[in-house]
Amino acid sequence: MKGFFDYVPGSSYLHRLNPLTKLLLALMICIAAFISANHLFLVMLIVLNLGIGAQAGIFTRSVMLLKGLLKLCIIIFLLQVLFIRDGNVLVKLPLNIFITDGGISSAFMVVFRLVTATMPLALMLSITQINDLSNVLVTKLRIPYPYAFALTTAIRFIPVFANEMTGIIEAQTSRGVQLDTRNIFKKIKLVLPLCVPLLITSVRKIEGSAISAELRGFHLRTKNSCYKKYAVNINDICVIMISVVIVGSAILVNSIF
Amino acid sequence: MINLQNVSFSYNNEKVLSNISLHIDKGEFTAIIGSNGAGKSTLCRIMNGLLKPSSGTVTVNGMDTRTTKSSILARHIGFLFQNPDRQICKNTVGEEIRFSLDIAFTDKSMIEKRLFETLSLFDFDADSNPFHLSRGERQQVALASIIAAEPEILILDEPTTGLDYVECMKIMSIIKKLNDKGITVIMVCHDMEIVLDFAQRILVLAEGRLIADGETREIFKMEEILRQASLLPPQIARLAARFGFDDVFYVDEMTDIVLKRIKNRRKRTG
């Protein structure tokens, strides 16, 4: 997932929205994904996510994100198909395992929900500067600054740690550790000990960041320290209405089908 | 040993290395120099197969890095990263070195022998915690665990960055001893004094291009090349050049010339 949470500069319609509106849109799409039990509606939400990516000029990243989720989706799909036994039996397998139509339907549902709920937050973070998100949480939602800072720092550190892990994997591969194996189980077994260097570097980085923040007057900051104003304009109202319509549609589709 | 033929590498549609061809023979001590972002570390990663070239071929002991796994190439190439914390993953120095030995050797007596030799070479306490050591000492632990596996080629990505003079000289003297035994050393370095003291050959990179490849003293005479790579020759060489002395790179050489001139002047003035 390296790079998926990095901010992509731009001046698109979505870029210019209030960070709170973008957060609301992302959350509403997630909520709609969990409310809806209709496969077609979930596919439409995935297409909507891709559309959002295209509008914000990050369509390639949206597709890459989809590809990144694909491996996880395949694992979840197989687990669902093999262990859910509702419905009619379609295929009988050894070890008393059988595939049912209910299992397949449930597997698709879980996979679609996973994709639909993951994409909007990643896309929202790609088009929102992390400082703006932090400021809007403090000024508009009245969240105490230390908590908003903790949340945004955690998000900011995701690509940093992903980069660090890549470096660790490279360092260990260079020593002859077979991390370039295609055997997923062997790879997991080899990756686990690498959590030690990752943990050590993470703790060192966090300690450094904490000292740096304190030296720059972290505790002196109040909600009035932010000079930027985050106004809600007509564009924001339109997007908020669209968000409500999305959730409403999910409820409506659920009640009809 | 290492052969690069028209190697180019792009990342995110940006050309990092372009059309590099070179050959490094067994036992050479080669320094790669250039400004930040010139592609030095990328070139090193290309050489040990961590990165595959976008075009061209890289062979190490006849093995194409495109088709050979990095973990297999690691049996021939030891790679020391700039940050030792990415490499150290065990709780004691002894375990850390043994980790590399377990990968490289199967014979238990050999593993014990190499462990003892490596600990003695670096004067390490096998039970000490590597995470409690200074940065320089952690860098030594990382180097020890690499050379314990007896690679034929050693690639060092800025091994002396952040080290004090004593730690730096300790690491460099160990590397020199290995080179004297026939191990090929390729080192990325920003310290021109160290390059001058240890390297026999220099590769100069600028904006992803290999702009010069030659013997150390010859490269340091090429002012225009060094300027292109945003580099300066060692201070003593610059001082000597200002006085009009060519081919002076060491304090001893400068002292000899100055003393000779003083003697000549004294003779002339009687």
Side-chain angles (χ1 to χ4, degrees), chain A residues 77-101 103-104:
Chain A
F77 185 86
L78 288 175
L79 287 174
Q80 291 282 323
V81 165
L82 295 176
F83 295 107
I84 289 190
R85 297 174 166 223
D86 297 342
N88 304 314
V89 177
L90 298 176
V91 183
K92 277 193 175 176
L93 297 169
L95 300 170
N96 198 27
I97 295 172
F98 38 88
I99 296 172
T100 63
D101 55 356
I104 291 175

Side-chain angles (χ1 to χ4, degrees), chain A residues 88-216:
Chain A
N88 304 314
V89 177
L90 298 176
V91 183
K92 277 193 175 176
L93 297 169
L95 300 170
N96 198 27
I97 295 172
F98 38 88
I99 296 172
T100 63
D101 55 356
I104 291 175
S105 171
S106 167
F108 273 117
M109 180 67 67
V110 172
V111 165
F112 288 157
R113 272 188 181 152
L114 172 79
V115 174
T116 316
T118 310
M119 282 185 79
L121 287 171
L123 294 178
M124 189 273 291
L125 290 172
S126 299
I127 57 170
T128 310
Q129 280 195 317
I130 212 81
N131 280 341
D132 288 338
L133 187 64
S134 168
N135 289 336
V136 85
L137 288 176
V138 175
T139 53
K140 301 286 179 194
L141 295 187
R142 311 275 169 186
I143 292 173
Y145 182 69
Y147 298 109
F149 179 79
L151 176 74
T152 51
T153 306
I155 295 166
R156 200 199 303 256
F157 267 99
I158 292 170
V160 175
F161 290 149
N163 196 25
E164 194 63 39
M165 193 62 185
T166 309
I168 291 167
I169 287 174
E170 277 190 356
Q172 300 303 328
T173 309
S174 299
R175 293 173 84 181
V177 181
Q178 290 183 317
L179 289 162
D180 43 12
T181 177
R182 284 174 190 270
N183 184 333
I184 187 87
F185 297 106
K186 195 175 175 185
K187 197 166 186 170
I188 290 169
K189 198 180 159 192
L190 290 168
V191 163
L192 284 177
L194 305 190
C195 294
V196 176
L198 182 65
L199 203 66
I200 298 284
T201 42
S202 308
V203 170
R204 282 208 177 114
K205 270 204 170 80
I206 290 163
E207 198 183 6
S209 299
I211 292 168
S212 166
E214 295 230 5
L215 288 173
R216 286 184 285 167

